Amino acid sequence: MRVLLLAPPGAGKGTQGVRIAERYGAGYLSTGDMLRAEVASGSELGARVKSIMDSGGLVSDELMIDLLRERLPAAAAGGGYVLDGFPRTVPQADAAWTLTEELGLPLEAVVLLEVDDDTVTERMLARAAVSGRADDNEATIRNRLAVYKEKTEPLVAFYAAKGILHRIDGSPTIDEVSVAVFDLLDGIAG
Ligand code: AMP
């Protein structure tokens, strides 16, 4: 299964992404997790991206595309991958399309998790208590939602035009969303 999750922050990409990867034996790649690991390790890259992440902005396309190019082959060694948090801009989507084709690992499906702003905001504020994420606070959440609408939402049309976009209601419980996602992807994998 070669799939990517598209959704506003707080919609459940990480939770569903891990479940999809387990069910289909695919490699799970979260650019947010990768960047947080860089920050935590104190690497030079981490130092460069920390303030951007804390403000809810986007790390540069060039850096993110390099990161994907470097990490995707290992993550997809078993033939499948689940991308979470990448791409987030049209240039990233273009680069990912070309790269996955070149690697002989073309994208099969894009799952759009649809959740309204109030619900994702509530979820992220609730998550803040356990995640310890510096960007799970009200001001940053507002910015992340604005960035999503401006930079990432155009990818809905991008993937619809490719004929691989699938919409899933991401507002029910985690398990209910998983059932809907597996139903969809079982049909594609089958
Ligand atoms: P996430 O865990 O996916 O919500 O990502 C957390 C933060 O990491 C984002 O708010 C961005 O600052 C940064 N980030 C993650 N993925 C990307 C990406 N593909 N492009 C640019 N910035 C990203």
Side-chain angles (χ1 to χ4, degrees):
M1 176 57 55
R2 298 180 302 275
V3 59
L4 75 80
L5 291 161
L6 195 58
K13 289 192 296 292
T15 308
Q16 299 300 337
V18 168
R19 290 180 172 202
I20 296 168
E22 271 171 16
R23 183 177 178 92
Y24 301 101
Y28 170 69
L29 208 60
S30 154
T31 46
D33 284 352
M34 280 158 41
L35 294 174
R36 278 186 289 279
E38 291 293 332
V39 172
S41 76
S43 70
E44 193 225 335
L45 172 63
R48 273 163 61 199
V49 301
K50 183 179 186 316
S51 61
I52 299 169
M53 294 176 74
D54 285 353
S55 70
L58 292 183
V59 173
S60 77
D61 286 339
E62 197 186 9
L63 199 155
M64 295 310 303
I65 291 164
D66 282 350
L67 204 58
L68 184 80
R69 201 182 298 281
E70 191 186 299
R71 309 275 176 98
L72 183 63
Y81 56 80
V82 179
L83 286 182
D84 162 5
F86 189 101
R88 261 180 159 93
T89 65
V90 172
Q92 289 183 18
D94 272 326
W97 191 264
T98 307
L99 177 66
T100 52
E101 295 269 330
E102 278 171 8
L103 291 171
L105 299 165
L107 194 56
E108 291 174 280
V110 173
V111 176
L112 174 66
L113 295 176
E114 298 185 294
V115 188
D116 66 49
D117 285 4
D118 288 347
T119 307
V120 291
T121 302
E122 270 168 36
R123 285 184 187 174
M124 281 186 278
L125 290 175
R127 178 173 77 182
V130 281
S131 74
R133 276 178 60 164
D135 58 352
D136 281 343
N137 64 76
E138 219 160 332
T140 306
I141 288 169
R142 222 172 298 125
N143 191 33
R144 287 159 72 198
L145 288 172
V147 168
Y148 176 78
K149 284 189 199 344
E150 186 194 338
K151 305 281 189 189
T152 309
E153 228 164 42
L155 302 190
V156 174
F158 179 97
Y159 289 116
K162 304 276 190 198
I164 56 169
L165 183 83
H166 304 275
R167 294 171 186 270
I168 297 277
D169 178 6
S171 57
T173 65
I174 291 173
D175 286 343
E176 285 169 324
V177 175
S178 291
V179 167
V181 171
F182 293 164
D183 224 42
L184 165 78
L185 295 180
D186 283 357
I188 292 169

